[in-house]
Amino acid sequence: AQSVTQPDIHITVSEGASLELRCNYSYGATPYLFWYVQSPGQGLQLLLKYFSGDTLVQGIKGFEAEFKRSQSSFNLRKPSVHWSDAAEYFCAVGARQAGTALIFGKGTTLSVSS
Amino acid sequence: SQTIHQWPATLVQPVGSPLSLECTVEGTSNPNLYWYRQAAGRGLQLLFYSVGIGQISSEVPQNLSASRPQDRQFILSSKKLLLSDSGFYLCAWSTLYDTGELFFGEGSRLTVL
């Protein structure tokens, strides 16, 4: 069955420290991969996406993610976290087929301490 | 540019009452439309998606239904709400022939008492 696992429910990082949020997926073929961010009470905003090509993708707000096929992972990273990065982060996978819905992980809540 | 609107933003309803959440997309044609529900600690659960007017696919058997009366309008309904229907409902759209990226509305918070 297709699934997305975000092993960390909640992470606390000091402001200025580096961040890595983990995402593992189970899918029949290489899917499209996405990271979204959600601030409290808001909708989801796309941070970055991987379709093909370079396995290291850059996104908005200084985030990047690396696709590792051998590990079925798509981890999100940021070298220096800002207090405004505190939010919930969702990894998602989608089929390479128009009209199909994305499958989301359960999310990781990021807290930033000063 | 494309925009997506959801309303109402917040709703408090008694058990057994009906529900109607509406979602409208502007600036695009023939979008794929989706309803997701977000409950605390459970991520986003796909409820319904639609690839065209009157075409609805249901992912989870439940107390809810969806309709798409117009190309860019997607409605989530219930005849009788349950306590378990409480949650944050998100509407999203994607283009018909694109890479699956979803664009989300701001969400509707439903509390059933």
Side-chain angles (χ1 to χ4, degrees):
Chain A
Q2 302 155 356
S3 65
V4 179
T5 302
Q6 293 181 246
D8 304 304
I9 297 174
H10 191 183
I11 285 182
T12 299
V13 174
S14 299
E15 190 169 15
S18 63
L19 169 71
E20 182 170 32
L21 301 182
R22 295 182 291 164
C23 173
N24 293 95
Y25 65 89
S26 174
Y27 215 80
T30 301
Y32 292 146
L33 296 157
F34 306 84
W35 274 99
Y36 284 84
V37 61
Q38 183 184 33
S39 297
Q42 307 264 323
L44 277 71
Q45 180 184 23
L46 181 70
L47 282 176
L48 47 77
K49 57 192 177 186
Y50 171 77
F51 297 149
S52 64
D54 192 347
T55 56
L56 183 64
V57 294
Q58 304 296 321
I60 62 171
K61 304 184 181 185
F63 286 91
E64 66 178 26
E66 186 171 13
F67 168 56
K68 293 185 177 180
R69 185 190 308 273
S70 61
Q71 298 177 21
S72 297
S73 69
F74 189 56
N75 294 348
L76 181 71
R77 300 194 295 249
K78 186 170 184 177
S80 178
V81 169
H82 188 261
W83 64 266
S84 60
D85 294 324
E88 190 161 18
Y89 292 80
F90 292 93
C91 180
V93 300
R96 293 175 178 263
Q97 179 181 349
T100 57
L102 299 187
I103 299 171
F104 285 83
K106 293 187 176 182
T108 298
T109 300
L110 172 65
S111 297
V112 179
S113 61
S114 56
Chain B
S1 64
Q2 302 91 355
T3 57
I4 179 169
H5 302 285
Q6 261 186 262
W7 69 92
T10 306
L11 197 58
V12 180
Q13 293 285 96
V15 170
S17 65
L19 171 73
S20 180
L21 300 179
E22 190 163 341
C23 173
T24 300
V25 179
E26 297 177 356
T28 187
S29 298
N30 302 316
N32 298 315
L33 296 171
Y34 309 84
W35 279 110
Y36 284 86
R37 178 169 58 199
Q38 185 177 18
R42 297 182 61 184
L44 276 76
Q45 179 187 35
L46 177 65
L47 302 176
F48 302 95
Y49 70 94
S50 170
V51 297
I53 295 175
Q55 301 178 58
I56 309 294
S57 296
S58 174
E59 291 295 307
V60 181
Q62 61 216 329
N63 186 42
L64 302 170
S65 62
S67 62
R68 185 170 177 174
Q70 300 180 41
D71 180 46
R72 291 170 291 173
Q73 185 185 30
F74 205 24
I75 298 171
L76 183 69
S77 304
S78 174
K79 293 182 178 179
K80 289 185 178 181
L81 284 168
L82 306 172
L83 287 174
S84 58
D85 292 324
S86 293
F88 192 53
Y89 289 82
L90 288 157
C91 182
W93 71 274
S94 68
T95 58
L96 189 59
Y97 299 110
D98 208 336
T99 49
E101 175 182 345
L102 294 184
F103 301 91
F104 284 86
E106 289 301 306
S108 298
R109 171 75 60 190
L110 171 65
T111 303
V112 182
L113 302 175

